[in-house]
Amino acid sequence: MPELPEVETVRRGLERRLKGRVLSDVEVRRPDLRFPLPERLAERLKGRRIDDLRRRAKYLLFDLDDGMTLIGHLGMSGRMNIHDARPNSVAPHEHVVFVADDGTTVTFQDHRRFGYFDLIETGALDTHRYFINLGPEPLGEDFDGAELTRRLTAKKTPIKAALLDQHVVAGLGNIYVCEALFRAGISPKRSAYSVAGARAERLVPHIKDVLNDAIAAGGSTLRDYVQASGELGYFQHDFRAYGREGAPCRKTGCTGIVKRIVQSGRSTFYCSTCQR
Ligand code: ZN
């Protein structure tokens, strides 16, 4: 499943090719994905200029020149394929085709169809049900130790679960929560309120670093990908704790072994020796 760094990498790839371009054609090849697609979607997008390409949590936001924003979510398996020119035929599971005025063609391909699109007034985004209860962007300037502390103070759940709560911080997935807690030396089992304060100050920079490292890795992968196949996809990361059950802890000087436990139905990987 694409997590925030993958979505950000896709956003950057799309921004490079579509920002400022006019959609000369849009083809919607089925009436629904996870949810029904907006009525007359192709007709409403045709002729519109894409003024900006933003991201909020794991949503892609295409700001259009008519005051509307196309919202895209990749779901479990969605990908955006970029072609220099409109292909003669559409590949399997390419459900939506966006053609720009310079020929650049982006296809949304999703064999499991958990992805979705919506069309909403740009000015109403903040109060829309997708966004109204979302916590701060983890990479945003206003997400700092003080902000995280405010959101953890009354929480009795384990810090692992709190960081996956979209009201606390937006778009942090399981992998990145494990990695950030590992880097910060904080046990995933610790009560969230006990992380408020000094530990939150220590944790926030690690959250940002984990995400930025993944985005940087994605950026280099992205360049290769675009040259090789014209496709934006997902990439493997070099995780320090995630997926390393039974392996020696990678923290310098630590002799612990990475363990796997299940919290709220999700795997947590951590070192009980150096994460306290
Ligand atoms: Zn360790």
Side-chain angles (χ1 to χ4, degrees):
M1 173 154 66
E3 295 217 35
L4 188 147
E6 285 85 352
V7 180
E8 175 61 18
T9 302
V10 169
R11 185 199 71 77
R12 291 179 187 186
L14 293 176
E15 179 183 46
R16 195 155 49 196
R17 298 301 295 267
L18 293 182
K19 186 172 175 177
R21 300 247 70 100
V22 171
L23 291 170
S24 57
D25 197 14
V26 176
E27 195 183 332
V28 175
R29 300 176 50 79
R30 52 177 300 129
D32 62 328
L33 293 168
R34 179 171 178 178
F35 306 118
L37 286 156
E39 300 265 328
R40 302 183 299 110
L41 179 64
E43 196 182 316
R44 291 161 75 187
L45 294 178
K46 248 179 255 182
R48 301 272 60 86
R49 190 180 62 235
I50 298 172
D51 283 339
D52 208 354
L53 251 154
R54 299 180 293 141
R55 179 186 56 74
R56 177 77 169 106
K58 297 204 290 186
Y59 293 93
L60 294 163
L61 308 177
F62 303 67
D63 291 332
L64 307 174
D65 64 351
D66 63 349
M68 300 295 283
T69 293
L70 174 70
I71 295 172
H73 196 287
L74 300 173
M76 304 285 285
S77 60
R79 47 169 67 214
M80 297 284 189
N81 302 319
I82 297 181
H83 309 270
D84 289 334
R86 188 172 190 162
N88 290 325
S89 61
V90 176
H93 310 295
E94 287 188 319
H95 306 303
V96 187
V97 180
F98 303 93
V99 185
D101 52 352
D102 67 345
T104 297
T105 300
V106 173
T107 58
F108 177 70
Q109 185 173 32
D110 186 1
H111 68 281
R112 295 180 67 184
R113 297 204 309 267
F114 280 103
Y116 52 97
F117 288 95
D118 209 340
L119 200 53
I120 294 168
E121 280 180 47
T122 309
L125 286 176
D126 289 346
T127 52
H128 190 274
R129 61 189 166 86
Y130 294 150
F131 305 107
I132 191 164
N133 289 319
L134 275 183
E137 279 294 313
L139 291 172
E141 281 177 15
D142 50 355
F143 182 64
D144 57 14
E147 177 66 29
L148 183 59
T149 289
R150 265 194 296 283
R151 291 168 183 271
L152 296 180
T153 301
K155 278 208 172 288
K156 297 195 170 100
T157 57
I159 183 64
K160 165 80 189 300
L163 293 174
L164 286 174
D165 179 348
Q166 301 299 300
H167 302 89
V168 172
V169 54
L172 264 192
N174 192 44
I175 294 172
Y176 298 101
V177 168
C178 290
E179 291 292 295
L181 288 171
F182 175 78
R183 291 190 188 194
I186 295 171
S187 170
K189 297 196 283 190
R190 178 176 277 284
S191 297
Y193 65 81
S194 76
V195 175
R199 289 189 181 88
E201 295 286 348
R202 194 165 88 225
L203 177 57
V204 166
H206 286 293
I207 290 174
K208 293 177 190 275
D209 285 352
V210 161
L211 295 173
N212 280 323
D213 286 355
I215 291 167
S220 54
T221 310
L222 177 68
R223 278 192 293 277
D224 299 341
Y225 254 55
V226 169
Q227 282 163 7
S229 64
E231 187 178 84
L232 293 178
Y234 311 125
F235 32 89
Q236 297 295 315
H237 309 295
D238 180 24
F239 300 123
R240 297 185 193 175
Y242 190 85
R244 298 189 67 246
E245 183 180 11
C249 176
R250 280 195 187 166
K251 200 155 273 181
T252 310
C254 180
T255 55
I257 300 289
V258 176
K259 291 182 184 171
R260 185 181 77 92
I261 56 172
V262 175
Q263 293 179 292
S264 322
R266 313 286 301 275
S267 286
T268 300
F269 295 89
Y270 80 113
C271 172
S272 59
T273 305
C274 64
Q275 287 180 252
R276 308 313 291 257

